[in-house]
């Protein structure tokens, strides 16, 4: 469940990118949930035409999903509802990280400065900037800057198609979901789900929003279907370019620009967008690999990345990674011996099996993700409470059981009074939990304080703090951007330096945000 600061951060991101009107409509959906056009107009007190334009922009940039459902009290009439996609809004602050993947990994050749690498960079940047584009519009964006002959243009289109199809084949780019899927709501008198024997929790039915996302998603074969040669031949034949040039910055775009872009797209044309799931998967691999390197060495980090690349099911929420031994070796490209690879696989606690005479290894990412989260939390505790708080927190984190105050003071070599004060500070800020039990052999009012670390509520508390910090940084950066138009040239250098430092801090903070929210 997204908290107050998370929603305020999403609103600030939309305001920075598209202006306050679009942010007002987006915030209405974030605060009130799924709404119809009529309800949005009523809640925002905006003209209907303005609300429509704002919704078109949000849909164009994958921040809102529309879907149809039967109108209440009617069997033959439908109503279109709109829902904000919070995760896609937050992903807009990660575009620079997504583009950095061009310079490493399986997205680019060894030399990222080659023409092929620059082509992929331009294609992915164009899609991220414009949200949704046809391949013909991507070609037009590239050709419009270069006045070339027809023969050179045809060659250029063929090169673009090859690069684009590789992005599709590697699942970095996907076909857009269905624009308005029809959802049949669950009947109100349907019995509640029961807990199956052996299951820890009862299966919960999908919400209306989850059903809409599921219905809008295309089948895997259609979602990542490459462009045939005929599409390239049609590109550039009288297509009007409605999208900005690659180098243009989309800050406060007008409503008319995006509307023209949408109008230019015919119904039978295929729209493409960035696949955030694959891009986040690559960022998760990068963050986890850094943690593995710090614990087990550089070679272990290299093997870990090879496992993640060889994994067939590259889903961001999947915690079990399965890869064949041959696939791992192919990604290592002969950089390590077979015995060395097997040794590291054992160090990573990979489980081995055999399927059709082929060695298969499975890796549970939960331990690595927990190690990453522990490092983040311990860094926060040490910065906020000093060495004493860090020692107590680390003790509770390691033992993972109820411990008495006197015992904590004894193990951490602290005075009982100091330990008691620090424990209450950590408890007050919701980093640890307390349990009072009656003291044996004492009066009825006497009790013993037992302390323990409960990770799930702690993660939520820290996530709220991260959202709050990211919101403050985003607001501060926006204020500096506004000041750029007012200050003198002599002060510009200092302002840009402050802005750069804040942007780096936000990127670093976003690593923690992804760890506790996306992974």
């Amino acid at each position: 469940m997204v908290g107050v600061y998370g929603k305020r951060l999403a609103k600030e991101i939309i305001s920075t990118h598209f202006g306050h009107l679009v942010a007002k409509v987006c915030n209405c959906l974030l605060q009130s949930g799924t709404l119809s056009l009529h309800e949005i107009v009523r809640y925002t007190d905006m003209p209907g035409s303005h609300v429509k334009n704002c919704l078109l922009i949000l849909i164009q940039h994958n921040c809102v999903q529309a879907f149809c459902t039967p109108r209440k009290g009617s069997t033959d009439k439908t109503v279109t509802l709109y829902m904000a996609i919070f995760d896609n809004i937050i992903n807009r602050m990660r575009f620079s990280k997504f583009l950095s993947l061009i310079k490493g990994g399986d997205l680019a050749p060894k030399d990222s400065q080659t023409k092929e690498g620059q082509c992929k960079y331009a294609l992915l940047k164009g899609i991220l900037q414009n949200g949704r584009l046809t391949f013909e519009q991507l070609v037009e964006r590239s050709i419009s800057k270069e006045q070339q002959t027809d023969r050179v243009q045809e060659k250029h289109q063929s090169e673009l198609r090859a690069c684009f199809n590789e992005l599709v084949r590697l699942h970095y780019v996907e076909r857009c979901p269905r624009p308005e899927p029809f959802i049949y709501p669950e009947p109100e008198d349907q019995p509640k789900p029961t807990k199956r024997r052996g299951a820890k929790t009862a299966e919960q039915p999908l919400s209306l929003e989850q059903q809409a996302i599921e219905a809008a998603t295309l089948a895997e074969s259609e979602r990542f279907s490459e462009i045939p040669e005929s599409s390239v031949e049609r590109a550039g034949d009288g297509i009007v370019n409605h999208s900005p040039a690659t180098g243009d910055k989309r800050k406060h775009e007008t409503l008319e620009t995006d509307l023209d872009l949408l109008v230019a797209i015919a119904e039978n044309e295929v729209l493409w967008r960035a696949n955030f799931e694959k891009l986040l998967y690559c960022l998760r691999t990068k963050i986890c690999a850094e943690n593995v390197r710090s614990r087990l060495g550089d070679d272990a980090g290299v093997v870990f990345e090879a496992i993640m690349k060889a994994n067939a099911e590259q889903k961001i929420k999947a915690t079990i990674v399965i890869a064949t031994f041959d696939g791992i070796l192919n990604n290592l490209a002969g950089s390590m011996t077979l015995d060395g690879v097997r040794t590291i696989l054992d160090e990573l606690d990979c489980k081995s099996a055999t399927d059709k005479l082929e060695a298969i290894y499975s890796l549970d990412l939960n331990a690595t993700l927990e190690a990453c989260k522990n490092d983040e939390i311990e860094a926060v505790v040490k910065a906020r409470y000093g060495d004493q708080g860090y020692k107590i927190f680390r003790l509770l984190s390691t033992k993972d059981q109820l411990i008495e105050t006197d015992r904590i003071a004894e193990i951490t070599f602290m005075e009982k009074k100091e330990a008691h004060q620090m424990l209450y500070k950590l408890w007050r800020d919701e980093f640890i939990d307390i349990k009072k039990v009656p003291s044996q052999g004492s009066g009825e009012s006497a009790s013993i304080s037992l302390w323990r670390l409960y990770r799930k509520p702690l993660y939520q508390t820290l996530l709220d703090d991260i959202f709050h910090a990211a919101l403050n940084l985003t607001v501060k950066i926006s204020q500096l951007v506004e000041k750029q138009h007012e200050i003198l040239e002599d002060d510009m250098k200092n302002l840009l330096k402050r802005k750069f430092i804040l942007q780096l801090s936000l990127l670093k903070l976003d690593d923690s945000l992804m760890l506790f929210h996306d992974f």
Side-chain angles (χ1 to χ4, degrees):
M1 186 68 180
V2 180
V4 175
Y5 292 118
K7 294 177 181 178
R8 287 176 59 185
L9 173 62
K11 176 190 174 184
E12 186 64 28
I13 292 172
I14 294 298
S15 179
T16 302
H17 290 193
F18 306 116
H20 73 279
L21 286 180
V22 181
K24 187 175 182 179
V25 172
C26 184
N27 185 58
C28 178
L29 293 173
L30 289 169
Q31 299 296 336
S32 304
T34 302
L35 298 172
S36 66
L37 177 62
H38 178 72
E39 291 171 326
I40 299 172
V41 171
R42 187 170 75 249
Y43 292 162
T44 59
D45 197 24
M46 291 171 55
S49 59
H50 288 185
V51 173
K52 287 181 181 179
N53 291 347
C54 293
L55 287 172
L56 285 175
I57 292 175
L58 291 169
I59 293 172
Q60 167 72 18
H61 291 274
N62 308 299
C63 299
V64 163
Q65 173 67 49
F67 63 95
C68 293
T69 188
R71 190 182 295 274
K72 288 185 179 181
S74 176
T75 57
D76 56 345
K77 293 183 179 181
T78 63
V79 60
T80 301
L81 301 177
Y82 301 90
M83 55 178 282
I85 306 177
F86 176 81
D87 289 345
N88 284 2
I89 298 173
I90 298 299
N91 282 332
R92 295 193 62 81
M93 59 191 281
R94 299 169 180 153
F95 284 178
S96 60
K97 290 183 179 180
F98 295 155
L99 289 173
S100 69
L101 296 172
I102 290 284
K103 300 176 182 178
D106 57 356
L107 185 58
K110 294 182 179 179
D111 182 9
S112 62
Q113 299 302 319
T114 61
K115 188 174 181 181
E116 181 183 353
Q118 293 172 355
C119 177
K120 293 175 185 174
Y121 184 93
L123 288 171
L124 184 59
K125 184 176 181 179
I127 291 177
L128 289 173
Q129 283 183 339
N130 294 277
R132 302 181 177 196
L133 288 177
T134 64
F135 177 69
E136 286 76 11
Q137 288 173 319
L138 282 169
V139 172
E140 187 68 21
R141 292 177 76 255
S142 176
I143 295 178
S144 63
K145 298 188 300 179
E146 304 176 10
Q147 300 299 327
Q148 301 171 335
T149 63
D150 292 342
R151 182 174 297 180
V152 175
Q153 284 188 8
E154 184 177 346
K155 181 182 178 182
H156 183 60
Q157 292 171 11
S158 180
E159 292 172 351
L160 283 175
R161 172 182 170 275
C163 292
F164 188 83
N165 277 340
E166 186 172 356
L167 292 175
V168 176
R169 180 176 58 81
L170 296 173
H171 292 191
Y172 288 93
V173 173
E174 63 178 358
R175 294 179 186 239
C176 288
R178 298 178 183 90
E180 289 188 20
F182 186 83
I183 307 298
Y184 290 96
E186 297 283 345
E188 296 181 358
D189 57 348
Q190 184 175 355
K192 294 182 179 180
T194 56
K195 182 177 177 181
R196 294 184 304 175
R197 182 178 298 177
K200 294 183 179 180
T201 57
E203 293 182 359
Q204 296 296 326
L206 294 178
S207 65
L208 191 63
E209 290 78 10
Q210 290 172 327
Q211 293 179 52
I213 294 294
E214 194 174 86
T217 304
L218 301 175
E220 197 84 356
S221 58
E222 184 181 0
R223 186 179 168 195
F224 301 108
S225 177
E226 298 181 13
I227 301 174
E229 187 69 36
S230 58
S231 295
V232 179
E233 294 173 358
R234 294 197 311 268
D237 295 343
I239 297 177
V240 179
N241 182 25
H242 292 271
S243 54
T246 305
D248 292 348
K249 294 183 179 179
R250 299 176 59 91
K251 291 184 178 178
H252 297 284
E253 295 124 317
T254 60
L255 304 179
E256 290 77 16
T257 302
D258 289 83
L259 274 177
D260 291 342
L261 181 62
L262 288 173
V263 171
I265 299 172
E267 291 184 0
N268 60 343
E269 289 182 310
V270 176
L271 283 169
W272 300 89
R273 69 175 187 177
N275 181 15
F276 289 137
E277 184 175 39
K278 175 58 185 271
L279 293 167
L280 286 173
Y281 179 89
C282 293
L283 292 179
R284 183 178 70 166
T285 299
K286 186 177 179 181
I287 291 174
C288 290
E290 288 296 326
N291 182 271
V292 170
R293 285 190 180 92
S294 66
R295 292 187 292 113
L296 303 175
D298 291 340
D299 288 344
V302 172
V303 173
F304 178 87
E305 289 180 325
I307 296 172
M308 297 295 286
K309 291 179 184 177
N311 178 31
E313 283 290 318
Q314 298 190 355
K315 305 294 184 182
I316 186 61
K317 294 296 184 180
T319 55
I320 303 298
V321 177
I322 300 175
T324 64
F325 189 64
D326 290 340
I328 297 171
L329 294 178
N330 289 337
N331 286 312
L332 292 172
S335 60
M336 298 176 64
T337 63
L338 295 180
D339 291 339
V341 174
R342 291 192 177 98
T343 300
I344 292 176
L345 289 174
D346 291 337
E347 291 178 356
L348 293 172
D349 293 328
C350 292
K351 296 180 181 179
S352 60
T354 304
D355 183 24
K356 297 179 181 179
L357 302 179
E358 188 175 34
I360 297 176
Y361 286 86
S362 62
L363 171 64
D364 190 347
L365 291 180
N366 283 313
T368 303
L369 290 171
E370 286 297 320
C372 292
K373 292 176 180 179
N374 273 339
D375 290 347
E376 290 291 331
I377 295 173
E378 289 176 3
V380 171
V381 171
K382 190 168 186 178
R384 191 177 294 184
Y385 305 102
D387 291 336
Q388 290 184 339
Y390 172 73
K391 286 192 293 184
I392 291 176
F393 183 85
R394 187 167 178 79
L395 170 66
L396 295 173
S397 175
T398 305
K399 295 294 185 180
D400 196 22
Q401 63 185 23
L402 291 166
I403 307 178
E404 189 183 353
T405 305
D406 293 350
R407 181 61 177 160
I408 292 174
E410 179 184 344
I411 296 175
T412 57
F413 300 101
M414 294 174 60
E415 294 290 337
K416 182 179 177 181
K417 183 179 179 181
E418 293 179 352
H420 190 267
Q421 290 175 346
M422 184 57 66
L423 284 165
Y424 268 95
K425 283 183 181 179
L426 291 167
W427 171 74
R428 182 189 60 201
D429 294 339
E430 300 181 348
F431 277 87
I432 60 176
D433 199 14
I434 184 174
K435 182 178 182 181
K436 299 249 185 204
V437 296
S439 178
Q440 295 181 355
S442 302
E444 295 182 359
S445 60
S447 62
I448 298 176
S449 297
L450 300 177
W451 307 88
R452 185 173 184 175
L453 171 65
Y454 290 99
R455 298 186 182 278
K456 192 170 182 180
L458 173 59
Y459 289 167
Q460 185 59 49
T461 299
L462 192 60
L463 179 60
D464 291 338
D465 291 343
I466 293 171
F467 274 129
H468 193 182
L471 171 63
N472 290 338
L473 285 172
T474 304
V475 171
K476 191 63 179 177
I477 292 171
S478 299
Q479 291 173 351
L480 292 179
V481 171
E482 294 295 331
K483 286 183 179 180
Q484 285 183 219
H485 307 289
E486 303 173 1
I487 66 172
L488 301 175
E489 290 186 10
D490 296 338
D491 300 326
M492 181 64 71
K493 185 176 181 180
N494 184 41
L495 185 144
L496 292 176
K497 183 178 179 181
R498 290 169 56 196
K499 177 184 169 185
F500 179 71
I501 293 173
L502 291 174
Q503 288 173 333
L504 286 181
S505 301
L506 184 59
L507 287 175
K508 178 62 178 175
L509 185 64
D510 182 53
D511 289 343
S512 302
L513 179 57
M514 286 190 292
L515 196 58
F516 288 95
H517 177 70
D518 297 283
F519 302 161

